[in-house]
Structures are given as structure tokens and as C-alpha cells.
Amino acid sequence: MDIKELYTRLLVLNNIEIYYKRVFDNRGPKYISNNYIDSFDFMDIANSKPEFLEEAPQHAFILPEEITNSHHFYNEYKDLGVLLFQHQRYTPVFHHKHTFFEVLVVLVGSCIHIMNDTEYTLNAGDICIIPPGAYHGVWAAKDSVVINMHVQKPFFKEVWASFSFHENALSRFFSTSMFNDNINRFLSFHTNNDEDLKNLILEMYIEHHYENKYKIQIIESLAIVLFSRLLRRYEHTIVQNTSSKFENTITASFVAYIEQNIANANLDTMAKHFNYSPQYISKKIKKASGYTFSTIVKQIRYEQAKKMLKSSTESIAEIARKLGYQNAENFTRTFKSICGMSPNEYRKNI
């Protein structure tokens, strides 16, 4: 399977898409003005024609509000941190949230992304990142090829840790997303139809569906390359939608400050830096994320510790010092309480 052959396959409607297209094309005068059908429209149209009920795909009437790793299409892919599926064209828009990060990649044509009762058109080359807990829906139709990347939280934590040492929009987005599952927002890049990035994603898709040996390592490595190149080339194109832009910008700045100053991060120094009171910062972080300041500091230290243990030969005592722990014993005890193993054991296992 090569990229050109895959493109050809992805352009052809499959049997499920053909069924939903029939429903869409026969939606009747009641819904003829609709540019897409949503889950309610679909139920209404299907119930009006017996043949639509009889021919419906197996999961046509199962429209969950939250998609988790227990959903039926995860059965074959339990060990993958990054999964790639083609978004089914003409399928009804059902508004949902998920427990993972979703990355919408428009390879050909366009799609409609709906969030907060607002429609956003994504065109060929656009890449949109939706965090866990965001309530949204997607519509894709004829001549469009849209890839859904489902990125599990544990893998995104690894990605986030690798970006958290740099001040950029993606690291700020990751930071606030990791500590808040209830913000309806997304981040999108306009890549000017970058063929290199498209080929990267198609290579990941081929690995996912047509290869076996070392697929996990290859897909996850390519995902890191994808996000790195997105930032290098298109950080200036980022568009962020958020239900509370001011609040989220403040919280992202707080988390970014903690990441950049992890050895000395405390409420008093942050208050002086931002010219707020410690009580204000503590309250804003708790309101936005549901976590206390100390819990976020502890989690960021843990993520940065894992990266240091993987990528350096520094002693445990030196890593503890750089992360702001009073001594190696305190660091070891805290790390083990989260990871289930000591820093030395973690380093040996990886």
C-alpha cells in the first residue's frame, strides 16, 4: 500500500457512507434546506421510510454523548496511543465529547465543525485539535477526505512534556487541556495544503491499518514529528476558539509560568510576576482546572521528571534539585506515589 493508492481508496464512498448519502439525498421537503443532517433529523427521516430502518448499519442508532476507549471501534486497537480513522461522509452530526484528544485533518475538500452552536468550516490542509471534554460535532460530505486522529491522554502527556519547555501556543493549549476537561474550545492550524504534512498523516494511516511490526513506535514517532513541524511552520496561523478566552489565556499563562520556573514555582513569586494576589491566582487556577496550585505543580514536576529520566544521564539527586525538591528522598517518594515505581526503576524499565 502506497500513499497514492491510499488516496484513491479514501475518495471512494464505502457502503455505510452510501447508505447515509441516500438518507441525506431523500431527506424530503422538511429538511431540504438543511446543509447537513444531525442525529435528530436522521432519526426522523429514517423513521419515515421503512427501508431506511431495515438497511441501517449496525451502529446507526447508537449515538453516545461521550466516546471512551470502551467504544466498539477500539476493540482492535487497545495498545495504540494514536489511532487514525477516516471520518465517515454523510453520517449525521451527533454532538458528543470524548475522553481523548481528537485531531481533525482535512486532506481533501472541506468539513463543518460545530461547537457552541457555531459552525466553523475547515478546508483542505486545516488541522484542528479538540481536547477531551469539548462538546462538538463534525459533518463531511461528497469529495471530502477527513482523517480523525484519536490521541490518548497518556501519549499526549508525553508530547506535552516534550513541548512544555518552550513557550508556544500548542504547549499552552496542552497545559490547560490536561487540567480541564470542561472547556469547549479548539486549536486549528492553516497549513496552506502542506503536502509534506499530508503525507506524514497518510503514512501514519497506512501504518495503523495495513502494517503490523513496530506500528506503535512508528505511529507515535510520526505524531511527534507532525506536531513539531506544525509549530515550526504554522504557529503563526493558529486560531483558537474558546468559550471564555480571557479566563483561559490567564490560566494558560499561569501553567506556562510554572513549567518554565518549576524549580522555584510558588504562589508568592507568581503573584509578584503577574501582579496579582496569591489568593487570586489560586482561585483562578482552581476555577479553571478543578485542581489546586500544588496539585498542578506536582503533576508538571512528574511529567518533566519522566522526560529527564528518559533523555539524560543526570543523577536522581540532580534531577530532584532541578525540579525544586528539597532532597532526592522527597522526589523519589513523590514520583513513586504517582508512577508506582521509583525514579531508578522507571529509568531501568524504559
Side-chain angles (χ1 to χ4, degrees), residues 108-152:
V108 179
S110 64
C111 73
I112 298 173
H113 181 221
I114 303 115
M115 183 179 283
N116 299 329
D117 296 322
T118 303
E119 297 178 10
Y120 303 88
T121 299
L122 302 175
N123 296 307
D126 289 350
I127 296 177
C128 180
I129 305 174
I130 302 124
Y135 199 64
H136 73 124
V138 179
W139 168 266
K142 181 183 177 183
D143 300 329
S144 295
V145 175
V146 179
I147 300 298
N148 285 339
M149 290 175 56
H150 296 175
V151 187
Q152 304 301 328

Side-chain angles (χ1 to χ4, degrees), residues 5 10 14 21 46 55 70 108 121 124 134-135 179 182 191-192 195 213-214 223 243 255 257 269 284 293 333 338 343:
E5 182 183 353
L10 294 176
N14 61 37
K21 185 178 185 302
E55 298 169 11
S70 63
V108 179
T121 299
Y135 199 64
F179 296 109
N182 297 300
T191 72
N192 197 30
E195 290 297 324
K213 198 171 184 181
Y214 306 124
S243 58
V255 175
Y257 177 87
T269 57
K284 287 296 180 185
F293 172 82
R333 182 168 55 253
I338 301 173

Side-chain angles (χ1 to χ4, degrees), residues 31 116 156 247 251 259 273 311 321-322:
Y31 298 110
N116 299 329
F156 235 118
E247 292 291 334
T251 307
E259 292 168 349
H273 177 81
S311 60
R321 184 190 68 78
K322 286 186 174 182

Side-chain angles (χ1 to χ4, degrees), residues 151 154-164 170 174 223-224 227:
V151 187
F155 176 70
F156 235 118
K157 283 186 178 181
E158 296 293 328
V159 175
W160 169 58
S162 68
F163 285 113
S164 64
L170 192 57
F174 289 170
I224 292 173
F227 292 122

Side-chain angles (χ1 to χ4, degrees), residues 6 66 76 101 128 132-133 145 153-155 166 175 182 184 201 205 224-225 247 281 290 305 322 336:
L6 177 60
E66 182 172 57
E76 301 176 45
F101 285 84
C128 180
V145 175
K153 266 191 170 183
F155 176 70
H166 304 280
S175 299
N182 297 300
N184 279 341
I201 292 156
Y205 191 96
I224 292 173
V225 173
E247 292 291 334
I281 291 176
K322 286 186 174 182
K336 189 171 183 178

Side-chain angles (χ1 to χ4, degrees), residues 187-239:
L187 201 67
S188 62
F189 294 79
H190 301 299
T191 72
N192 197 30
N193 239 344
D194 191 315
E195 290 297 324
D196 175 48
L197 295 182
K198 285 185 176 183
N199 288 339
L200 256 179
I201 292 156
L202 289 168
E203 188 177 347
M204 294 166 65
Y205 191 96
I206 291 170
E207 286 292 334
H208 185 187
H209 293 279
Y210 300 102
E211 301 294 342
N212 289 308
K213 198 171 184 181
Y214 306 124
K215 73 157 53 181
I216 295 176
Q217 293 86 345
I218 292 173
I219 292 172
E220 294 184 355
S221 297
L222 289 175
I224 292 173
V225 173
L226 172 66
F227 292 122
S228 301
R229 289 184 181 171
L230 266 179
L231 274 177
R232 175 186 286 176
R233 299 175 187 175
Y234 302 107
E235 184 176 4
H236 64 284
T237 73
I238 288 176
V239 175

